[in-house]
PDB file of all heavy atoms in Angstrom:
ATOM      1  N   PHE A 115       0.820  -1.177   0.016  1.00 97.00           N
ATOM      2  CA  PHE A 115       0.028  -0.035   0.029  1.00 97.00           C
ATOM      3  C   PHE A 115       0.882   1.246  -0.081  1.00 97.00           C
ATOM      4  O   PHE A 115       1.849   1.353   0.773  1.00 97.00           O
ATOM      5  CB  PHE A 115      -0.920   0.035   1.232  1.00 97.00           C
ATOM      6  CG  PHE A 115      -1.817  -1.251   1.292  1.00 97.00           C
ATOM      7  CD1 PHE A 115      -1.852  -2.024   2.457  1.00 97.00           C
ATOM      8  CD2 PHE A 115      -2.521  -1.690   0.226  1.00 97.00           C
ATOM      9  CE1 PHE A 115      -2.599  -3.077   2.510  1.00 97.00           C
ATOM     10  CE2 PHE A 115      -3.350  -2.728   0.232  1.00 97.00           C
ATOM     11  CZ  PHE A 115      -3.378  -3.500   1.398  1.00 97.00           C
ATOM     12  N   GLY A 116       0.578   2.189  -0.953  1.00 97.00           N
ATOM     13  CA  GLY A 116       1.258   3.377  -0.964  1.00 97.00           C
ATOM     14  C   GLY A 116       2.562   3.429  -1.848  1.00 97.00           C
ATOM     15  O   GLY A 116       3.222   4.435  -2.000  1.00 97.00           O
ATOM     16  N   LEU A 117       2.901   2.208  -2.335  1.00 97.00           N
ATOM     17  CA  LEU A 117       4.144   2.177  -3.229  1.00 97.00           C
ATOM     18  C   LEU A 117       3.898   3.054  -4.491  1.00 97.00           C
ATOM     19  O   LEU A 117       4.899   3.760  -4.906  1.00 97.00           O
ATOM     20  CB  LEU A 117       4.386   0.755  -3.636  1.00 97.00           C
ATOM     21  CG  LEU A 117       4.879  -0.193  -2.539  1.00 97.00           C
ATOM     22  CD1 LEU A 117       5.199  -1.572  -3.154  1.00 97.00           C
ATOM     23  CD2 LEU A 117       6.071   0.329  -1.817  1.00 97.00           C
ATOM     24  N   GLY A 118       2.663   3.123  -5.060  1.00 97.00           N
ATOM     25  CA  GLY A 118       2.470   3.826  -6.222  1.00 97.00           C
ATOM     26  C   GLY A 118       2.469   5.342  -5.943  1.00 97.00           C
ATOM     27  O   GLY A 118       3.267   6.075  -6.681  1.00 97.00           O
ATOM     28  N   CYS A 119       1.661   5.780  -5.123  1.00 97.00           N
ATOM     29  CA  CYS A 119       1.482   7.251  -4.842  1.00 97.00           C
ATOM     30  C   CYS A 119       2.579   7.799  -3.939  1.00 97.00           C
ATOM     31  O   CYS A 119       2.737   8.979  -3.757  1.00 97.00           O
ATOM     32  CB  CYS A 119       0.083   7.525  -4.242  1.00 97.00           C
ATOM     33  SG  CYS A 119      -0.076   6.969  -2.541  1.00 97.00           S
ATOM     34  N   GLY A 120       3.365   6.895  -3.251  1.00 97.00           N
ATOM     35  CA  GLY A 120       4.250   7.290  -2.249  1.00 97.00           C
ATOM     36  C   GLY A 120       5.187   8.405  -2.611  1.00 97.00           C
ATOM     37  O   GLY A 120       5.305   9.415  -1.876  1.00 97.00           O
ATOM     38  N   PRO A 121       5.993   8.323  -3.819  1.00 96.00           N
ATOM     39  CA  PRO A 121       6.896   9.380  -4.103  1.00 96.00           C
ATOM     40  C   PRO A 121       6.248  10.770  -4.253  1.00 96.00           C
ATOM     41  O   PRO A 121       6.808  11.797  -3.727  1.00 96.00           O
ATOM     42  CB  PRO A 121       7.432   8.885  -5.451  1.00 96.00           C
ATOM     43  CG  PRO A 121       7.343   7.388  -5.435  1.00 96.00           C
ATOM     44  CD  PRO A 121       6.067   7.174  -4.701  1.00 96.00           C
ATOM     45  N   VAL A 122       5.060  10.843  -4.874  1.00 97.00           N
ATOM     46  CA  VAL A 122       4.444  12.131  -5.015  1.00 97.00           C
ATOM     47  C   VAL A 122       3.901  12.637  -3.640  1.00 97.00           C
ATOM     48  O   VAL A 122       3.949  13.811  -3.314  1.00 97.00           O
ATOM     49  CB  VAL A 122       3.249  12.019  -6.066  1.00 97.00           C
ATOM     50  CG1 VAL A 122       2.439  13.302  -6.129  1.00 97.00           C
ATOM     51  CG2 VAL A 122       3.819  11.767  -7.415  1.00 97.00           C
ATOM     52  N   LEU A 123       3.254  11.716  -2.944  1.00 97.00           N
ATOM     53  CA  LEU A 123       2.765  12.022  -1.618  1.00 97.00           C
ATOM     54  C   LEU A 123       3.831  12.642  -0.656  1.00 97.00           C
ATOM     55  O   LEU A 123       3.651  13.623   0.038  1.00 97.00           O
ATOM     56  CB  LEU A 123       1.991  10.907  -1.027  1.00 97.00           C
ATOM     57  CG  LEU A 123       1.175  11.163   0.220  1.00 97.00           C
ATOM     58  CD1 LEU A 123       0.023  10.068   0.355  1.00 97.00           C
ATOM     59  CD2 LEU A 123       1.972  11.099   1.523  1.00 97.00           C
ATOM     60  N   GLU A 124       4.990  11.887  -0.676  1.00 97.00           N
ATOM     61  CA  GLU A 124       6.070  12.306   0.202  1.00 97.00           C
ATOM     62  C   GLU A 124       6.674  13.690  -0.274  1.00 97.00           C
ATOM     63  O   GLU A 124       7.073  14.430   0.598  1.00 97.00           O
ATOM     64  CB  GLU A 124       7.161  11.260   0.101  1.00 97.00           C
ATOM     65  CG  GLU A 124       6.779  10.045   0.893  1.00 97.00           C
ATOM     66  CD  GLU A 124       7.397   8.742   0.457  1.00 97.00           C
ATOM     67  OE1 GLU A 124       8.483   8.864  -0.203  1.00 97.00           O
ATOM     68  OE2 GLU A 124       6.896   7.659   0.722  1.00 97.00           O
ATOM     69  N   THR A 125       6.590  14.023  -1.554  1.00 97.00           N
ATOM     70  CA  THR A 125       7.083  15.347  -1.983  1.00 97.00           C
ATOM     71  C   THR A 125       6.100  16.394  -1.415  1.00 97.00           C
ATOM     72  O   THR A 125       6.499  17.487  -0.956  1.00 97.00           O
ATOM     73  CB  THR A 125       7.024  15.370  -3.486  1.00 97.00           C
ATOM     74  OG1 THR A 125       8.023  14.459  -4.030  1.00 97.00           O
ATOM     75  CG2 THR A 125       7.347  16.828  -4.037  1.00 97.00           C
ATOM     76  N   LEU A 126       4.740  16.082  -1.475  1.00 97.00           N
ATOM     77  CA  LEU A 126       3.831  17.036  -0.886  1.00 97.00           C
ATOM     78  C   LEU A 126       4.053  17.289   0.581  1.00 97.00           C
ATOM     79  O   LEU A 126       3.982  18.436   1.107  1.00 97.00           O
ATOM     80  CB  LEU A 126       2.369  16.641  -1.128  1.00 97.00           C
ATOM     81  CG  LEU A 126       1.782  16.560  -2.538  1.00 97.00           C
ATOM     82  CD1 LEU A 126       0.382  15.969  -2.542  1.00 97.00           C
ATOM     83  CD2 LEU A 126       1.756  17.979  -3.119  1.00 97.00           C
ATOM     84  N   LEU A 127       4.341  16.246   1.253  1.00 98.00           N
ATOM     85  CA  LEU A 127       4.637  16.364   2.730  1.00 98.00           C
ATOM     86  C   LEU A 127       5.880  17.240   2.995  1.00 98.00           C
ATOM     87  O   LEU A 127       5.914  17.997   3.857  1.00 98.00           O
ATOM     88  CB  LEU A 127       4.773  14.989   3.339  1.00 98.00           C
ATOM     89  CG  LEU A 127       3.543  14.130   3.326  1.00 98.00           C
ATOM     90  CD1 LEU A 127       3.765  12.790   3.994  1.00 98.00           C
ATOM     91  CD2 LEU A 127       2.332  14.783   4.182  1.00 98.00           C
ATOM     92  N   ARG A 128       6.899  16.967   2.182  1.00 97.00           N
ATOM     93  CA  ARG A 128       8.220  17.694   2.332  1.00 97.00           C
ATOM     94  C   ARG A 128       7.934  19.213   2.039  1.00 97.00           C
ATOM     95  O   ARG A 128       8.607  20.090   2.585  1.00 97.00           O
ATOM     96  CB  ARG A 128       9.270  17.180   1.470  1.00 97.00           C
ATOM     97  CG  ARG A 128       9.826  15.815   1.940  1.00 97.00           C
ATOM     98  CD  ARG A 128      11.202  15.574   1.203  1.00 97.00           C
ATOM     99  NE  ARG A 128      10.943  15.386  -0.267  1.00 97.00           N
ATOM    100  CZ  ARG A 128      10.696  14.199  -0.831  1.00 97.00           C
ATOM    101  NH1 ARG A 128      10.548  13.026  -0.032  1.00 97.00           N
ATOM    102  NH2 ARG A 128      10.473  14.052  -2.133  1.00 97.00           N
ATOM    103  N   ASP A 129       7.015  19.475   1.111  1.00 97.00           N
ATOM    104  CA  ASP A 129       6.676  20.839   0.795  1.00 97.00           C
ATOM    105  C   ASP A 129       5.588  21.493   1.710  1.00 97.00           C
ATOM    106  O   ASP A 129       5.068  22.549   1.404  1.00 97.00           O
ATOM    107  CB  ASP A 129       6.085  20.951  -0.682  1.00 97.00           C
ATOM    108  CG  ASP A 129       7.243  20.627  -1.716  1.00 97.00           C
ATOM    109  OD1 ASP A 129       8.406  20.685  -1.302  1.00 97.00           O
ATOM    110  OD2 ASP A 129       6.912  20.265  -2.832  1.00 97.00           O
ATOM    111  N   HIS A 130       5.388  20.770   2.847  1.00 97.00           N
ATOM    112  CA  HIS A 130       4.345  21.246   3.856  1.00 97.00           C
ATOM    113  C   HIS A 130       3.047  21.480   3.372  1.00 97.00           C
ATOM    114  O   HIS A 130       2.356  22.424   3.787  1.00 97.00           O
ATOM    115  CB  HIS A 130       4.959  22.563   4.543  1.00 97.00           C
ATOM    116  CG  HIS A 130       6.272  22.406   5.024  1.00 97.00           C
ATOM    117  ND1 HIS A 130       6.591  21.590   6.163  1.00 97.00           N
ATOM    118  CD2 HIS A 130       7.560  22.817   4.648  1.00 97.00           C
ATOM    119  CE1 HIS A 130       7.907  21.682   6.479  1.00 97.00           C
ATOM    120  NE2 HIS A 130       8.538  22.375   5.480  1.00 97.00           N
ATOM    121  N   PHE A 131       2.529  20.698   2.409  1.00 97.00           N
ATOM    122  CA  PHE A 131       1.134  20.805   1.839  1.00 97.00           C
ATOM    123  C   PHE A 131       0.119  20.699   3.021  1.00 97.00           C
ATOM    124  O   PHE A 131      -0.792  21.401   2.989  1.00 97.00           O
ATOM    125  CB  PHE A 131       0.902  19.619   0.886  1.00 97.00           C
ATOM    126  CG  PHE A 131      -0.443  19.633   0.296  1.00 97.00           C
ATOM    127  CD1 PHE A 131      -0.697  20.363  -0.940  1.00 97.00           C
ATOM    128  CD2 PHE A 131      -1.481  18.905   0.867  1.00 97.00           C
ATOM    129  CE1 PHE A 131      -1.903  20.377  -1.421  1.00 97.00           C
ATOM    130  CE2 PHE A 131      -2.771  18.934   0.299  1.00 97.00           C
ATOM    131  CZ  PHE A 131      -3.058  19.668  -0.846  1.00 97.00           C
ATOM    132  N   LEU A 132       0.330  19.853   3.978  1.00 97.00           N
ATOM    133  CA  LEU A 132      -0.587  19.698   5.094  1.00 97.00           C
ATOM    134  C   LEU A 132      -0.509  20.720   6.051  1.00 97.00           C
ATOM    135  O   LEU A 132      -1.535  21.031   6.862  1.00 97.00           O
ATOM    136  CB  LEU A 132      -0.375  18.364   5.735  1.00 97.00           C
ATOM    137  CG  LEU A 132      -0.690  17.033   5.067  1.00 97.00           C
ATOM    138  CD1 LEU A 132      -0.383  15.770   5.906  1.00 97.00           C
ATOM    139  CD2 LEU A 132      -2.196  16.985   4.698  1.00 97.00           C
ATOM    140  N   GLY A 133       0.549  21.410   6.207  1.00 97.00           N
ATOM    141  CA  GLY A 133       0.788  22.348   7.322  1.00 97.00           C
ATOM    142  C   GLY A 133       1.180  21.510   8.533  1.00 97.00           C
ATOM    143  O   GLY A 133       2.008  20.515   8.387  1.00 97.00           O
ATOM    144  N   ASP A 134       0.714  21.739   9.688  1.00 98.00           N
ATOM    145  CA  ASP A 134       0.917  20.985  10.894  1.00 98.00           C
ATOM    146  C   ASP A 134      -0.046  19.814  10.917  1.00 98.00           C
ATOM    147  O   ASP A 134      -1.237  19.970  10.831  1.00 98.00           O
ATOM    148  CB  ASP A 134       0.744  21.817  12.146  1.00 98.00           C
ATOM    149  CG  ASP A 134       1.768  22.902  12.196  1.00 98.00           C
ATOM    150  OD1 ASP A 134       2.976  22.746  11.734  1.00 98.00           O
ATOM    151  OD2 ASP A 134       1.432  24.002  12.697  1.00 98.00           O
ATOM    152  N   LEU A 135       0.541  18.607  11.080  1.00 98.00           N
ATOM    153  CA  LEU A 135      -0.360  17.432  11.189  1.00 98.00           C
ATOM    154  C   LEU A 135      -1.230  17.493  12.402  1.00 98.00           C
ATOM    155  O   LEU A 135      -0.699  17.714  13.491  1.00 98.00           O
ATOM    156  CB  LEU A 135       0.547  16.184  11.140  1.00 98.00           C
ATOM    157  CG  LEU A 135      -0.249  14.857  11.116  1.00 98.00           C
ATOM    158  CD1 LEU A 135      -0.964  14.603   9.893  1.00 98.00           C
ATOM    159  CD2 LEU A 135       0.763  13.647  11.398  1.00 98.00           C
ATOM    160  N   ARG A 136      -2.532  17.188  12.168  1.00 98.00           N
ATOM    161  CA  ARG A 136      -3.450  17.188  13.232  1.00 98.00           C
ATOM    162  C   ARG A 136      -4.040  15.821  13.614  1.00 98.00           C
ATOM    163  O   ARG A 136      -4.153  15.431  14.704  1.00 98.00           O
ATOM    164  CB  ARG A 136      -4.565  18.207  13.092  1.00 98.00           C
ATOM    165  CG  ARG A 136      -4.123  19.617  13.091  1.00 98.00           C
ATOM    166  CD  ARG A 136      -5.247  20.692  12.822  1.00 98.00           C
ATOM    167  NE  ARG A 136      -4.722  22.018  13.022  1.00 98.00           N
ATOM    168  CZ  ARG A 136      -5.496  23.074  12.801  1.00 98.00           C
ATOM    169  NH1 ARG A 136      -6.692  22.933  12.207  1.00 98.00           N
ATOM    170  NH2 ARG A 136      -4.997  24.269  13.003  1.00 98.00           N
ATOM    171  N   GLU A 137      -4.480  15.139  12.543  1.00 98.00           N
ATOM    172  CA  GLU A 137      -5.160  13.821  12.805  1.00 98.00           C
ATOM    173  C   GLU A 137      -4.836  12.924  11.653  1.00 98.00           C
ATOM    174  O   GLU A 137      -4.525  13.332  10.483  1.00 98.00           O
ATOM    175  CB  GLU A 137      -6.718  13.983  12.851  1.00 98.00           C
ATOM    176  CG  GLU A 137      -7.159  14.806  14.044  1.00 98.00           C
ATOM    177  CD  GLU A 137      -8.681  14.920  14.081  1.00 98.00           C
ATOM    178  OE1 GLU A 137      -9.361  14.162  13.323  1.00 98.00           O
ATOM    179  OE2 GLU A 137      -9.196  15.754  14.853  1.00 98.00           O
ATOM    180  N   VAL A 138      -4.770  11.611  11.915  1.00 98.00           N
ATOM    181  CA  VAL A 138      -4.710  10.582  10.892  1.00 98.00           C
ATOM    182  C   VAL A 138      -5.838   9.624  11.045  1.00 98.00           C
ATOM    183  O   VAL A 138      -6.358   9.377  12.225  1.00 98.00           O
ATOM    184  CB  VAL A 138      -3.426   9.802  10.889  1.00 98.00           C
ATOM    185  CG1 VAL A 138      -2.236  10.796  10.750  1.00 98.00           C
ATOM    186  CG2 VAL A 138      -3.208   9.035  12.164  1.00 98.00           C
ATOM    187  N   VAL A 139      -6.366   9.045   9.991  1.00 98.00           N
ATOM    188  CA  VAL A 139      -7.408   8.069  10.077  1.00 98.00           C
ATOM    189  C   VAL A 139      -6.960   6.886   9.204  1.00 98.00           C
ATOM    190  O   VAL A 139      -6.501   7.029   8.082  1.00 98.00           O
ATOM    191  CB  VAL A 139      -8.765   8.584   9.513  1.00 98.00           C
ATOM    192  CG1 VAL A 139      -9.792   7.465   9.461  1.00 98.00           C
ATOM    193  CG2 VAL A 139      -9.258   9.711  10.397  1.00 98.00           C
ATOM    194  N   VAL A 140      -7.019   5.717   9.794  1.00 98.00           N
ATOM    195  CA  VAL A 140      -6.620   4.451   9.149  1.00 98.00           C
ATOM    196  C   VAL A 140      -7.875   3.563   9.034  1.00 98.00           C
ATOM    197  O   VAL A 140      -8.396   3.213  10.106  1.00 98.00           O
ATOM    198  CB  VAL A 140      -5.455   3.796   9.722  1.00 98.00           C
ATOM    199  CG1 VAL A 140      -5.015   2.504   8.994  1.00 98.00           C
ATOM    200  CG2 VAL A 140      -4.193   4.688   9.834  1.00 98.00           C
ATOM    201  N   LEU A 141      -8.259   3.171   7.892  1.00 98.00           N
ATOM    202  CA  LEU A 141      -9.461   2.384   7.679  1.00 98.00           C
ATOM    203  C   LEU A 141      -9.014   1.043   6.946  1.00 98.00           C
ATOM    204  O   LEU A 141      -8.298   1.109   5.936  1.00 98.00           O
ATOM    205  CB  LEU A 141     -10.450   3.032   6.793  1.00 98.00           C
ATOM    206  CG  LEU A 141     -10.980   4.326   7.385  1.00 98.00           C
ATOM    207  CD1 LEU A 141     -11.934   5.059   6.405  1.00 98.00           C
ATOM    208  CD2 LEU A 141     -11.752   4.123   8.741  1.00 98.00           C
ATOM    209  N   GLY A 142      -9.446  -0.100   7.554  1.00 98.00           N
ATOM    210  CA  GLY A 142      -9.258  -1.376   6.883  1.00 98.00           C
ATOM    211  C   GLY A 142     -10.337  -2.277   7.208  1.00 98.00           C
ATOM    212  O   GLY A 142     -10.219  -3.255   7.815  1.00 98.00           O
ATOM    213  N   ALA A 143     -11.598  -1.954   6.735  1.00 98.00           N
ATOM    214  CA  ALA A 143     -12.796  -2.622   7.142  1.00 98.00           C
ATOM    215  C   ALA A 143     -13.574  -3.090   5.844  1.00 98.00           C
ATOM    216  O   ALA A 143     -13.971  -2.278   5.029  1.00 98.00           O
ATOM    217  CB  ALA A 143     -13.675  -1.621   7.968  1.00 98.00           C
ATOM    218  N   ASN A 144     -13.749  -4.407   5.844  1.00 97.00           N
ATOM    219  CA  ASN A 144     -14.506  -4.999   4.750  1.00 97.00           C
ATOM    220  C   ASN A 144     -15.200  -6.269   5.192  1.00 97.00           C
ATOM    221  O   ASN A 144     -15.284  -6.540   6.391  1.00 97.00           O
ATOM    222  CB  ASN A 144     -13.531  -5.243   3.523  1.00 97.00           C
ATOM    223  CG  ASN A 144     -12.291  -6.079   4.016  1.00 97.00           C
ATOM    224  OD1 ASN A 144     -12.412  -6.955   4.870  1.00 97.00           O
ATOM    225  ND2 ASN A 144     -11.074  -5.855   3.413  1.00 97.00           N
ATOM    226  N   ASP A 145     -15.575  -7.156   4.245  1.00 97.00           N
ATOM    227  CA  ASP A 145     -16.320  -8.309   4.587  1.00 97.00           C
ATOM    228  C   ASP A 145     -15.571  -9.632   4.341  1.00 97.00           C
ATOM    229  O   ASP A 145     -16.173 -10.646   4.094  1.00 97.00           O
ATOM    230  CB  ASP A 145     -17.574  -8.342   3.741  1.00 97.00           C
ATOM    231  CG  ASP A 145     -17.343  -8.430   2.273  1.00 97.00           C
ATOM    232  OD1 ASP A 145     -16.223  -8.376   1.821  1.00 97.00           O
ATOM    233  OD2 ASP A 145     -18.362  -8.490   1.458  1.00 97.00           O
ATOM    234  N   GLN A 146     -14.283  -9.574   4.360  1.00 97.00           N
ATOM    235  CA  GLN A 146     -13.439 -10.777   4.013  1.00 97.00           C
ATOM    236  C   GLN A 146     -13.706 -11.950   4.904  1.00 97.00           C
ATOM    237  O   GLN A 146     -13.607 -13.107   4.472  1.00 97.00           O
ATOM    238  CB  GLN A 146     -11.939 -10.443   4.029  1.00 97.00           C
ATOM    239  CG  GLN A 146     -11.432 -10.136   5.495  1.00 97.00           C
ATOM    240  CD  GLN A 146      -9.936  -9.817   5.436  1.00 97.00           C
ATOM    241  OE1 GLN A 146      -9.416  -8.812   5.864  1.00 97.00           O
ATOM    242  NE2 GLN A 146      -9.081 -10.735   4.920  1.00 97.00           N
ATOM    243  N   PHE A 147     -14.158 -11.773   6.170  1.00 97.00           N
ATOM    244  CA  PHE A 147     -14.427 -12.851   7.056  1.00 97.00           C
ATOM    245  C   PHE A 147     -15.921 -12.772   7.537  1.00 97.00           C
ATOM    246  O   PHE A 147     -16.340 -13.362   8.524  1.00 97.00           O
ATOM    247  CB  PHE A 147     -13.537 -12.818   8.288  1.00 97.00           C
ATOM    248  CG  PHE A 147     -12.046 -13.023   7.986  1.00 97.00           C
ATOM    249  CD1 PHE A 147     -11.111 -12.116   8.468  1.00 97.00           C
ATOM    250  CD2 PHE A 147     -11.703 -14.037   7.089  1.00 97.00           C
ATOM    251  CE1 PHE A 147      -9.781 -12.319   8.145  1.00 97.00           C
ATOM    252  CE2 PHE A 147     -10.353 -14.159   6.887  1.00 97.00           C
ATOM    253  CZ  PHE A 147      -9.408 -13.424   7.361  1.00 97.00           C
ATOM    254  N   TRP A 148     -16.719 -12.108   6.732  1.00 97.00           N
ATOM    255  CA  TRP A 148     -18.146 -11.849   7.123  1.00 97.00           C
ATOM    256  C   TRP A 148     -18.848 -13.228   7.089  1.00 97.00           C
ATOM    257  O   TRP A 148     -19.765 -13.498   8.039  1.00 97.00           O
ATOM    258  CB  TRP A 148     -18.801 -10.897   6.172  1.00 97.00           C
ATOM    259  CG  TRP A 148     -20.287 -10.797   6.373  1.00 97.00           C
ATOM    260  CD1 TRP A 148     -20.958 -10.082   7.347  1.00 97.00           C
ATOM    261  CD2 TRP A 148     -21.326 -11.420   5.647  1.00 97.00           C
ATOM    262  NE1 TRP A 148     -22.262 -10.210   7.275  1.00 97.00           N
ATOM    263  CE2 TRP A 148     -22.539 -10.982   6.168  1.00 97.00           C
ATOM    264  CE3 TRP A 148     -21.240 -12.254   4.521  1.00 97.00           C
ATOM    265  CZ2 TRP A 148     -23.754 -11.525   5.600  1.00 97.00           C
ATOM    266  CZ3 TRP A 148     -22.529 -12.684   3.978  1.00 97.00           C
ATOM    267  CH2 TRP A 148     -23.788 -12.262   4.580  1.00 97.00           C
ATOM    268  N   ASP A 149     -18.668 -14.068   6.159  1.00 96.00           N
ATOM    269  CA  ASP A 149     -19.367 -15.294   6.038  1.00 96.00           C
ATOM    270  C   ASP A 149     -18.786 -16.390   6.937  1.00 96.00           C
ATOM    271  O   ASP A 149     -17.771 -16.962   6.639  1.00 96.00           O
ATOM    272  CB  ASP A 149     -19.309 -15.819   4.526  1.00 96.00           C
ATOM    273  CG  ASP A 149     -20.163 -17.048   4.310  1.00 96.00           C
ATOM    274  OD1 ASP A 149     -20.700 -17.586   5.237  1.00 96.00           O
ATOM    275  OD2 ASP A 149     -20.319 -17.413   3.075  1.00 96.00           O
ATOM    276  N   TYR A 150     -19.534 -16.606   8.017  1.00 93.00           N
ATOM    277  CA  TYR A 150     -18.960 -17.467   9.020  1.00 93.00           C
ATOM    278  C   TYR A 150     -19.030 -19.007   8.659  1.00 93.00           C
ATOM    279  O   TYR A 150     -18.467 -19.857   9.379  1.00 93.00           O
ATOM    280  CB  TYR A 150     -19.759 -17.317  10.393  1.00 93.00           C
ATOM    281  CG  TYR A 150     -21.219 -17.725  10.282  1.00 93.00           C
ATOM    282  CD1 TYR A 150     -21.629 -19.051  10.479  1.00 93.00           C
ATOM    283  CD2 TYR A 150     -22.190 -16.751   9.961  1.00 93.00           C
ATOM    284  CE1 TYR A 150     -23.022 -19.384  10.411  1.00 93.00           C
ATOM    285  CE2 TYR A 150     -23.492 -17.060   9.913  1.00 93.00           C
ATOM    286  CZ  TYR A 150     -23.905 -18.404  10.062  1.00 93.00           C
ATOM    287  OH  TYR A 150     -25.302 -18.710  10.019  1.00 93.00           O
ATOM    288  N   SER A 151     -19.712 -19.279   7.524  1.00 94.00           N
ATOM    289  CA  SER A 151     -19.764 -20.667   7.005  1.00 94.00           C
ATOM    290  C   SER A 151     -18.494 -21.116   6.324  1.00 94.00           C
ATOM    291  O   SER A 151     -18.311 -22.268   5.926  1.00 94.00           O
ATOM    292  CB  SER A 151     -20.982 -20.886   6.165  1.00 94.00           C
ATOM    293  OG  SER A 151     -20.856 -20.176   4.872  1.00 94.00           O
ATOM    294  N   LYS A 152     -17.618 -20.117   6.088  1.00 95.00           N
ATOM    295  CA  LYS A 152     -16.415 -20.456   5.277  1.00 95.00           C
ATOM    296  C   LYS A 152     -15.266 -21.025   6.234  1.00 95.00           C
ATOM    297  O   LYS A 152     -15.274 -20.721   7.346  1.00 95.00           O
ATOM    298  CB  LYS A 152     -15.883 -19.221   4.550  1.00 95.00           C
ATOM    299  CG  LYS A 152     -16.702 -18.752   3.414  1.00 95.00           C
ATOM    300  CD  LYS A 152     -16.110 -17.513   2.560  1.00 95.00           C
ATOM    301  CE  LYS A 152     -16.917 -17.130   1.379  1.00 95.00           C
ATOM    302  NZ  LYS A 152     -16.272 -16.060   0.679  1.00 95.00           N
ATOM    303  N   GLN A 153     -14.416 -21.720   5.510  1.00 96.00           N
ATOM    304  CA  GLN A 153     -13.346 -22.392   6.234  1.00 96.00           C
ATOM    305  C   GLN A 153     -12.479 -21.418   6.969  1.00 96.00           C
ATOM    306  O   GLN A 153     -12.227 -20.298   6.537  1.00 96.00           O
ATOM    307  CB  GLN A 153     -12.425 -23.127   5.180  1.00 96.00           C
ATOM    308  CG  GLN A 153     -11.049 -23.456   5.635  1.00 96.00           C
ATOM    309  CD  GLN A 153     -11.003 -24.799   6.357  1.00 96.00           C
ATOM    310  OE1 GLN A 153     -12.037 -25.446   6.507  1.00 96.00           O
ATOM    311  NE2 GLN A 153      -9.820 -25.067   6.918  1.00 96.00           N
ATOM    312  N   ILE A 154     -12.076 -21.795   8.222  1.00 97.00           N
ATOM    313  CA  ILE A 154     -11.291 -20.892   9.036  1.00 97.00           C
ATOM    314  C   ILE A 154      -9.953 -20.624   8.259  1.00 97.00           C
ATOM    315  O   ILE A 154      -9.392 -21.428   7.596  1.00 97.00           O
ATOM    316  CB  ILE A 154     -11.000 -21.479  10.392  1.00 97.00           C
ATOM    317  CG1 ILE A 154     -10.353 -20.413  11.412  1.00 97.00           C
ATOM    318  CG2 ILE A 154     -10.065 -22.747  10.280  1.00 97.00           C
ATOM    319  CD1 ILE A 154     -10.349 -20.874  12.845  1.00 97.00           C
TER     320      ILE A 154
END
């Protein structure tokens, strides 16, 4: 994750695009294990 956009994103961060960092949000929520009938 982030290998593709990483170089451009890191340039923006070095150029202080965000200003002072205040918050981060990390989401990794899906249905990969939603079906309880599937093999463990």
Side-chain angles (χ1 to χ4, degrees):
F115 304 127
L117 292 181
C119 70
V122 171
L123 192 155
E124 288 155 20
T125 297
L126 288 178
L127 294 177
R128 285 194 297 270
D129 292 341
H130 305 290
F131 179 90
L132 289 178
D134 296 326
L135 183 67
R136 291 178 172 174
E137 297 181 13
V138 303
V139 174
V140 178
L141 302 172
N144 54 34
D145 63 355
Q146 68 179 122
F147 297 131
W148 173 79
D149 186 350
Y150 64 87
S151 68
K152 288 186 176 180
Q153 163 80 6
I154 194 167

